[in-house]
Amino acid sequence: MIDTTTALELVLKHGTLNTDFFEVDLKDALDYVVAKDVVSRIDMPPFRQSAMDGYALHVHDDFTYTVVGEVQAGDHNDPTLRKGEAVRIFTGAPVPTSANTVVMQERVTLDGNKIIVEGSPKVNMNIRPKAEQIKAGGIAIHKGTTIKGGHIGFLASLGLTKITVSKKPSVAIVVTGNELVAPGMPLSYGEIYESNGAMLRAVLNELGYKNTSVVTIRDDYDTTKNVLSDTLGKYDVVVVTGGVSVGDYDFVGKAFKAIGVQEIFYKVKQKPGKPLFFGKKEETSIFGLPGNPAAALSCFYIYVYPLLKKYEGAEHMNLPTISLPLLSDYTVKGTQAQFLKARIEGAGVRILGGQSSAMVQAFGDANALVCLPVNSMEIKKGQNVKTLLLPTK
Ligand code: AMP
Ligand code: MG
């Protein structure tokens, strides 16, 4: 059995790095990873911009100025100011070339067509210099960045309509179990509703991975082998849930062997998720996650998510990690490394109730996983713990 650090290293070492790039419309670019540095074609701002509603003027040794005109946002005029003259100006408007400051309107007293300025204005006040944000030719977004709403705003402000991004992996989810019944169907004694498929598909969707499929199969060796064999050639990543343990009806490991999946590791010293499997066949990465829903989701975030990010060439692959004080005492059950569903609240982190692998409810509140090393025992309130941030919205 390997430890969690080694497991994650192996996932990232063996995970495929895709080199298939394409251009995407900016409006559809959310969650894609930028494949080539995005370069600005313009200075931003493209001209000296007023940052306030007020008066543009060239400072002189008197407090009184005559207002000779107006420049509104979107105007193209560049009035020439003579000594002692000012123009009314509004936020976003081009500051006349002959002006060297903007006085906010709250700082002037109006007297007919004259203004009396309070105190002596400082040069370049309330003016956003040309190219203050970026110069033409500058890198707006580095290769490896995962595009978020703010990036789209910035790129749109530079007038860009397309960017080159990395292809996203397609992901097949194969859930196994004779006891599983699709939600909406009647439930007989001994059966439970299948929830891993809907959950993993939704989480993938939330992260921007839309090319997914879910298939449910029974615990039968031939079916498992045939379905997996068929799926491997069609998807970049295959995530199987259940059937990876050592029960008499756990056929996934045997099926992987039979269809030529190379085992990279099986079993990790962790709770939940001890029976985690990771393997490869050609360029396809294959995970066997435990069937228990909370264990499956924890393993997804800790191991599958970084693999997906590697595939896309993302700069940041692992979940961001911070150290936070625990908000209450916690007694660890077991000696393996622990991943505990948790919620960051204020300046600390709270371990949630319902940590069993079978209980997924706490994930509704969780925004983090607290990660405790092997042989942790009593953790006291106020003690700092490693906290992985979940990429939930
Ligand atoms: P397994 O890993 O197949 O031994 O399953 C472990 C536990 O998770 C069992 O209690 C299963 O009934 C449950 N389980 C497995 N797959 C699913 C699923 N897709 N949805 C809900 N529960 C599941
Ligand atoms: Mg099972």
Side-chain angles (χ1 to χ4, degrees):
M1 227 189 305
I2 58 170
D3 61 37
T4 55
T5 311
T6 310
L8 189 52
E9 277 169 14
L10 287 171
V11 165
L12 291 179
K13 179 173 164 209
H14 291 275
T16 301
L17 177 63
N18 155 71
T19 49
D20 217 356
F21 306 147
F22 69 104
E23 277 209 328
V24 69
D25 281 347
L26 195 58
K27 66 177 170 39
D28 302 318
L30 193 65
D31 292 325
Y32 277 103
V33 172
V34 173
K36 279 201 298 198
D37 288 350
V38 184
V39 173
S40 180
R41 288 196 216 111
I42 62 163
D43 289 337
M44 184 61 201
F47 53 89
R48 289 162 81 224
Q49 245 175 14
S50 177
M52 289 284 171
D53 295 323
Y55 295 86
L57 47 89
H58 195 100
V59 181
H60 72 151
D61 44 17
D62 191 355
F63 296 117
T64 306
Y65 295 82
T66 308
V67 180
V68 294
E70 180 179 289
V71 193
Q72 199 190 331
D75 280 354
H76 306 298
N77 55 329
D78 184 10
T80 304
L81 299 175
R82 286 173 303 186
K83 193 172 179 203
E85 288 181 346
V87 284
R88 182 87 171 104
I89 196 160
F90 300 94
T91 307
V95 176
T97 313
S98 51
N100 65 359
T101 197
V102 170
V103 181
M104 59 197 283
Q105 64 192 38
E106 292 84 344
R107 293 277 161 80
V108 307
T109 310
L110 208 52
D111 180 13
N113 68 342
K114 296 204 180 306
I115 50 166
I116 299 132
V117 176
E118 266 176 38
S120 43
K122 285 203 185 74
V123 168
N124 288 333
M125 282 286 279
N126 305 319
I127 296 175
R128 302 175 189 146
K130 181 177 173 179
E132 182 184 35
Q133 295 184 43
I134 192 167
K135 280 192 167 53
I139 296 175
I141 296 187
H142 281 95
K143 174 184 169 178
T145 306
T146 303
I147 293 288
K148 296 294 164 199
H151 296 122
I152 292 185
F154 186 44
L155 295 179
S157 80
L158 303 179
L160 295 167
T161 56
K162 286 182 190 299
I163 54 172
T164 305
V165 294
S166 184
K167 193 191 99 176
K168 285 194 167 289
S170 56
V171 186
I173 302 155
V174 179
V175 299
T176 71
N178 284 358
E179 72 280 29
L180 306 177
V181 171
M185 303 297 285
L187 206 58
S188 299
Y189 179 69
E191 295 176 337
I192 58 165
Y193 286 119
E194 196 289 286
S195 55
N196 286 345
M199 173 178 74
L200 293 176
R201 172 126 74 177
V203 171
L204 285 162
N205 198 36
E206 190 180 26
L207 295 168
Y209 304 101
K210 315 277 182 190
N211 187 357
T212 56
S213 71
V214 179
V215 56
T216 305
I217 57 173
R218 295 185 64 78
D219 293 316
D220 167 82
Y221 175 65
D222 286 328
T223 314
T224 308
K225 197 177 68 174
N226 295 337
V227 169
L228 289 179
S229 169
D230 187 47
T231 310
L232 282 192
K234 295 190 184 138
Y235 289 85
D236 302 307
V237 180
V238 176
V239 178
V240 184
T241 78
V244 280
S245 296
V246 292
D248 291 352
Y249 300 97
D250 290 333
F251 294 117
V252 172
K254 217 172 131 198
F256 281 156
K257 246 193 204 110
I259 59 176
V261 173
Q262 181 206 349
E263 178 185 313
I264 308 291
F265 64 76
Y266 175 48
K267 292 197 175 161
V268 182
K269 271 181 248 158
Q270 63 180 7
K271 191 179 168 191
K274 185 174 119 193
L276 178 70
F277 174 96
F278 176 61
K280 291 265 322 213
K281 186 167 183 200
E282 284 142 27
E283 292 308 306
T284 305
S285 300
I286 301 119
F287 285 95
L289 307 186
N292 273 313
L297 190 51
S298 293
C299 288
F300 174 88
Y301 281 127
I302 299 160
Y303 300 104
V304 184
Y305 172 74
L307 176 113
L308 301 174
K309 290 304 242 185
K310 167 158 185 199
Y311 182 95
E312 300 179 271
E315 186 187 355
H316 302 293
M317 296 178 275
N318 294 330
L319 299 176
T321 304
I322 52 173
S323 179
L324 286 179
L326 213 53
L327 291 173
S328 54
D329 294 352
Y330 188 77
T331 306
V332 178
K333 297 180 196 79
T335 56
Q336 312 100 305
Q338 309 275 317
F339 291 104
L340 302 161
K341 288 149 274 188
R343 185 160 182 87
I344 295 168
E345 287 170 354
V349 61
R350 183 164 62 86
I351 293 174
L352 299 166
Q355 290 293 335
S356 152
S357 298
M359 296 180 178
V360 80
Q361 190 178 18
F363 261 116
D365 287 332
N367 56 16
L369 290 171
V370 162
C371 172
L372 302 177
V374 286
N375 296 322
S376 301
M377 286 152 81
E378 296 287 328
I379 316 285
K380 291 283 169 217
K381 177 179 173 180
Q383 194 173 325
N384 269 43
V385 288
K386 185 174 165 188
T387 305
L388 311 178
L389 305 184
L390 294 177
T392 47
K393 286 179 181 148

mmCIF file with all atom_site columns, all heavy atoms in Angstrom, residues 197-210:
data_model
loop_
_atom_site.group_PDB
_atom_site.id
_atom_site.type_symbol
_atom_site.label_atom_id
_atom_site.label_alt_id
_atom_site.label_comp_id
_atom_site.label_asym_id
_atom_site.label_entity_id
_atom_site.label_seq_id
_atom_site.pdbx_PDB_ins_code
_atom_site.Cartn_x
_atom_site.Cartn_y
_atom_site.Cartn_z
_atom_site.occupancy
_atom_site.B_iso_or_equiv
_atom_site.pdbx_formal_charge
_atom_site.auth_seq_id
_atom_site.auth_comp_id
_atom_site.auth_asym_id
_atom_site.auth_atom_id
_atom_site.pdbx_PDB_model_num
ATOM 1   N N   . GLY A 1 197 ? -23.237 8.121  -10.155 1.00 0.00 ? 197 GLY A N   1
ATOM 2   C CA  . GLY A 1 197 ? -23.252 8.577  -11.546 1.00 0.00 ? 197 GLY A CA  1
ATOM 3   C C   . GLY A 1 197 ? -23.704 10.025 -11.652 1.00 0.00 ? 197 GLY A C   1
ATOM 4   O O   . GLY A 1 197 ? -23.015 10.875 -12.242 1.00 0.00 ? 197 GLY A O   1
ATOM 5   N N   . ALA A 1 198 ? -24.860 10.304 -11.043 1.00 0.00 ? 198 ALA A N   1
ATOM 6   C CA  . ALA A 1 198 ? -25.407 11.672 -11.106 1.00 0.00 ? 198 ALA A CA  1
ATOM 7   C C   . ALA A 1 198 ? -24.457 12.652 -10.430 1.00 0.00 ? 198 ALA A C   1
ATOM 8   O O   . ALA A 1 198 ? -24.229 13.769 -10.926 1.00 0.00 ? 198 ALA A O   1
ATOM 9   C CB  . ALA A 1 198 ? -26.771 11.709 -10.426 1.00 0.00 ? 198 ALA A CB  1
ATOM 10  N N   . MET A 1 199 ? -23.878 12.220 -9.306  1.00 0.00 ? 199 MET A N   1
ATOM 11  C CA  . MET A 1 199 ? -22.997 13.110 -8.534  1.00 0.00 ? 199 MET A CA  1
ATOM 12  C C   . MET A 1 199 ? -21.724 13.443 -9.314  1.00 0.00 ? 199 MET A C   1
ATOM 13  O O   . MET A 1 199 ? -21.367 14.620 -9.471  1.00 0.00 ? 199 MET A O   1
ATOM 14  C CB  . MET A 1 199 ? -22.645 12.414 -7.223  1.00 0.00 ? 199 MET A CB  1
ATOM 15  C CG  . MET A 1 199 ? -21.615 13.116 -6.382  1.00 0.00 ? 199 MET A CG  1
ATOM 16  S SD  . MET A 1 199 ? -21.329 12.216 -4.848  1.00 0.00 ? 199 MET A SD  1
ATOM 17  C CE  . MET A 1 199 ? -20.390 10.810 -5.426  1.00 0.00 ? 199 MET A CE  1
ATOM 18  N N   . LEU A 1 200 ? -21.064 12.424 -9.835  1.00 0.00 ? 200 LEU A N   1
ATOM 19  C CA  . LEU A 1 200 ? -19.793 12.680 -10.534 1.00 0.00 ? 200 LEU A CA  1
ATOM 20  C C   . LEU A 1 200 ? -20.018 13.459 -11.818 1.00 0.00 ? 200 LEU A C   1
ATOM 21  O O   . LEU A 1 200 ? -19.242 14.345 -12.173 1.00 0.00 ? 200 LEU A O   1
ATOM 22  C CB  . LEU A 1 200 ? -19.058 11.362 -10.806 1.00 0.00 ? 200 LEU A CB  1
ATOM 23  C CG  . LEU A 1 200 ? -18.567 10.641 -9.541  1.00 0.00 ? 200 LEU A CG  1
ATOM 24  C CD1 . LEU A 1 200 ? -17.948 9.303  -9.893  1.00 0.00 ? 200 LEU A CD1 1
ATOM 25  C CD2 . LEU A 1 200 ? -17.566 11.510 -8.768  1.00 0.00 ? 200 LEU A CD2 1
ATOM 26  N N   . ARG A 1 201 ? -21.108 13.139 -12.498 1.00 0.00 ? 201 ARG A N   1
ATOM 27  C CA  . ARG A 1 201 ? -21.412 13.890 -13.720 1.00 0.00 ? 201 ARG A CA  1
ATOM 28  C C   . ARG A 1 201 ? -21.651 15.369 -13.392 1.00 0.00 ? 201 ARG A C   1
ATOM 29  O O   . ARG A 1 201 ? -21.169 16.259 -14.091 1.00 0.00 ? 201 ARG A O   1
ATOM 30  C CB  . ARG A 1 201 ? -22.632 13.301 -14.415 1.00 0.00 ? 201 ARG A CB  1
ATOM 31  C CG  . ARG A 1 201 ? -23.088 14.177 -15.560 1.00 0.00 ? 201 ARG A CG  1
ATOM 32  C CD  . ARG A 1 201 ? -23.221 13.509 -16.875 1.00 0.00 ? 201 ARG A CD  1
ATOM 33  N NE  . ARG A 1 201 ? -24.379 12.674 -16.930 1.00 0.00 ? 201 ARG A NE  1
ATOM 34  C CZ  . ARG A 1 201 ? -24.751 12.018 -18.010 1.00 0.00 ? 201 ARG A CZ  1
ATOM 35  N NH1 . ARG A 1 201 ? -24.043 12.095 -19.121 1.00 0.00 ? 201 ARG A NH1 1
ATOM 36  N NH2 . ARG A 1 201 ? -25.814 11.278 -17.998 1.00 0.00 ? 201 ARG A NH2 1
ATOM 37  N N   . ALA A 1 202 ? -22.379 15.614 -12.285 1.00 0.00 ? 202 ALA A N   1
ATOM 38  C CA  . ALA A 1 202 ? -22.659 17.007 -11.906 1.00 0.00 ? 202 ALA A CA  1
ATOM 39  C C   . ALA A 1 202 ? -21.382 17.738 -11.509 1.00 0.00 ? 202 ALA A C   1
ATOM 40  O O   . ALA A 1 202 ? -21.177 18.900 -11.889 1.00 0.00 ? 202 ALA A O   1
ATOM 41  C CB  . ALA A 1 202 ? -23.656 17.032 -10.746 1.00 0.00 ? 202 ALA A CB  1
ATOM 42  N N   . VAL A 1 203 ? -20.521 17.060 -10.771 1.00 0.00 ? 203 VAL A N   1
ATOM 43  C CA  . VAL A 1 203 ? -19.269 17.706 -10.351 1.00 0.00 ? 203 VAL A CA  1
ATOM 44  C C   . VAL A 1 203 ? -18.390 17.995 -11.575 1.00 0.00 ? 203 VAL A C   1
ATOM 45  O O   . VAL A 1 203 ? -17.803 19.077 -11.699 1.00 0.00 ? 203 VAL A O   1
ATOM 46  C CB  . VAL A 1 203 ? -18.524 16.831 -9.310  1.00 0.00 ? 203 VAL A CB  1
ATOM 47  C CG1 . VAL A 1 203 ? -17.141 17.378 -9.023  1.00 0.00 ? 203 VAL A CG1 1
ATOM 48  C CG2 . VAL A 1 203 ? -19.330 16.756 -8.020  1.00 0.00 ? 203 VAL A CG2 1
ATOM 49  N N   . LEU A 1 204 ? -18.333 17.063 -12.502 1.00 0.00 ? 204 LEU A N   1
ATOM 50  C CA  . LEU A 1 204 ? -17.564 17.279 -13.730 1.00 0.00 ? 204 LEU A CA  1
ATOM 51  C C   . LEU A 1 204 ? -18.131 18.468 -14.508 1.00 0.00 ? 204 LEU A C   1
ATOM 52  O O   . LEU A 1 204 ? -17.390 19.339 -14.981 1.00 0.00 ? 204 LEU A O   1
ATOM 53  C CB  . LEU A 1 204 ? -17.599 16.023 -14.609 1.00 0.00 ? 204 LEU A CB  1
ATOM 54  C CG  . LEU A 1 204 ? -16.706 14.873 -14.129 1.00 0.00 ? 204 LEU A CG  1
ATOM 55  C CD1 . LEU A 1 204 ? -17.119 13.564 -14.769 1.00 0.00 ? 204 LEU A CD1 1
ATOM 56  C CD2 . LEU A 1 204 ? -15.239 15.183 -14.434 1.00 0.00 ? 204 LEU A CD2 1
ATOM 57  N N   . ASN A 1 205 ? -19.427 18.497 -14.577 1.00 0.00 ? 205 ASN A N   1
ATOM 58  C CA  . ASN A 1 205 ? -20.111 19.577 -15.281 1.00 0.00 ? 205 ASN A CA  1
ATOM 59  C C   . ASN A 1 205 ? -19.795 20.933 -14.639 1.00 0.00 ? 205 ASN A C   1
ATOM 60  O O   . ASN A 1 205 ? -19.494 21.912 -15.320 1.00 0.00 ? 205 ASN A O   1
ATOM 61  C CB  . ASN A 1 205 ? -21.619 19.293 -15.228 1.00 0.00 ? 205 ASN A CB  1
ATOM 62  C CG  . ASN A 1 205 ? -22.368 20.077 -16.248 1.00 0.00 ? 205 ASN A CG  1
ATOM 63  O OD1 . ASN A 1 205 ? -21.881 20.297 -17.356 1.00 0.00 ? 205 ASN A OD1 1
ATOM 64  N ND2 . ASN A 1 205 ? -23.551 20.530 -15.890 1.00 0.00 ? 205 ASN A ND2 1
ATOM 65  N N   . GLU A 1 206 ? -19.814 20.946 -13.314 1.00 0.00 ? 206 GLU A N   1
ATOM 66  C CA  . GLU A 1 206 ? -19.530 22.173 -12.568 1.00 0.00 ? 206 GLU A CA  1
ATOM 67  C C   . GLU A 1 206 ? -18.114 22.669 -12.850 1.00 0.00 ? 206 GLU A C   1
ATOM 68  O O   . GLU A 1 206 ? -17.844 23.868 -12.837 1.00 0.00 ? 206 GLU A O   1
ATOM 69  C CB  . GLU A 1 206 ? -19.694 21.859 -11.071 1.00 0.00 ? 206 GLU A CB  1
ATOM 70  C CG  . GLU A 1 206 ? -19.672 23.063 -10.171 1.00 0.00 ? 206 GLU A CG  1
ATOM 71  C CD  . GLU A 1 206 ? -19.828 22.681 -8.701  1.00 0.00 ? 206 GLU A CD  1
ATOM 72  O OE1 . GLU A 1 206 ? -19.465 21.544 -8.312  1.00 0.00 ? 206 GLU A OE1 1
ATOM 73  O OE2 . GLU A 1 206 ? -20.305 23.525 -7.939  1.00 0.00 ? 206 GLU A OE2 1
ATOM 74  N N   . LEU A 1 207 ? -17.209 21.726 -13.127 1.00 0.00 ? 207 LEU A N   1
ATOM 75  C CA  . LEU A 1 207 ? -15.816 22.087 -13.389 1.00 0.00 ? 207 LEU A CA  1
ATOM 76  C C   . LEU A 1 207 ? -15.556 22.340 -14.872 1.00 0.00 ? 207 LEU A C   1
ATOM 77  O O   . LEU A 1 207 ? -14.432 22.592 -15.271 1.00 0.00 ? 207 LEU A O   1
ATOM 78  C CB  . LEU A 1 207 ? -14.903 20.957 -12.899 1.00 0.00 ? 207 LEU A CB  1
ATOM 79  C CG  . LEU A 1 207 ? -14.911 20.732 -11.385 1.00 0.00 ? 207 LEU A CG  1
ATOM 80  C CD1 . LEU A 1 207 ? -14.229 19.419 -11.034 1.00 0.00 ? 207 LEU A CD1 1
ATOM 81  C CD2 . LEU A 1 207 ? -14.219 21.894 -10.686 1.00 0.00 ? 207 LEU A CD2 1
ATOM 82  N N   . GLY A 1 208 ? -16.595 22.224 -15.672 1.00 0.00 ? 208 GLY A N   1
ATOM 83  C CA  . GLY A 1 208 ? -16.449 22.550 -17.094 1.00 0.00 ? 208 GLY A CA  1
ATOM 84  C C   . GLY A 1 208 ? -16.222 21.335 -17.982 1.00 0.00 ? 208 GLY A C   1
ATOM 85  O O   . GLY A 1 208 ? -15.977 21.486 -19.178 1.00 0.00 ? 208 GLY A O   1
ATOM 86  N N   . TYR A 1 209 ? -16.267 20.121 -17.426 1.00 0.00 ? 209 TYR A N   1
ATOM 87  C CA  . TYR A 1 209 ? -16.086 18.920 -18.247 1.00 0.00 ? 209 TYR A CA  1
ATOM 88  C C   . TYR A 1 209 ? -17.458 18.418 -18.668 1.00 0.00 ? 209 TYR A C   1
ATOM 89  O O   . TYR A 1 209 ? -18.175 17.810 -17.881 1.00 0.00 ? 209 TYR A O   1
ATOM 90  C CB  . TYR A 1 209 ? -15.315 17.845 -17.464 1.00 0.00 ? 209 TYR A CB  1
ATOM 91  C CG  . TYR A 1 209 ? -13.987 18.360 -16.976 1.00 0.00 ? 209 TYR A CG  1
ATOM 92  C CD1 . TYR A 1 209 ? -13.812 18.759 -15.650 1.00 0.00 ? 209 TYR A CD1 1
ATOM 93  C CD2 . TYR A 1 209 ? -12.916 18.501 -17.848 1.00 0.00 ? 209 TYR A CD2 1
ATOM 94  C CE1 . TYR A 1 209 ? -12.605 19.270 -15.211 1.00 0.00 ? 209 TYR A CE1 1
ATOM 95  C CE2 . TYR A 1 209 ? -11.702 19.009 -17.417 1.00 0.00 ? 209 TYR A CE2 1
ATOM 96  C CZ  . TYR A 1 209 ? -11.557 19.394 -16.096 1.00 0.00 ? 209 TYR A CZ  1
ATOM 97  O OH  . TYR A 1 209 ? -10.358 19.908 -15.658 1.00 0.00 ? 209 TYR A OH  1
ATOM 98  N N   . LYS A 1 210 ? -17.812 18.719 -19.895 1.00 0.00 ? 210 LYS A N   1
ATOM 99  C CA  . LYS A 1 210 ? -19.184 18.443 -20.351 1.00 0.00 ? 210 LYS A CA  1
ATOM 100 C C   . LYS A 1 210 ? -19.278 17.143 -21.144 1.00 0.00 ? 210 LYS A C   1
ATOM 101 O O   . LYS A 1 210 ? -20.371 16.630 -21.332 1.00 0.00 ? 210 LYS A O   1
ATOM 102 C CB  . LYS A 1 210 ? -19.685 19.587 -21.246 1.00 0.00 ? 210 LYS A CB  1
ATOM 103 C CG  . LYS A 1 210 ? -19.405 20.985 -20.741 1.00 0.00 ? 210 LYS A CG  1
ATOM 104 C CD  . LYS A 1 210 ? -20.431 21.439 -19.734 1.00 0.00 ? 210 LYS A CD  1
ATOM 105 C CE  . LYS A 1 210 ? -20.106 22.865 -19.302 1.00 0.00 ? 210 LYS A CE  1
ATOM 106 N NZ  . LYS A 1 210 ? -20.839 23.363 -18.191 1.00 0.00 ? 210 LYS A NZ  1
#
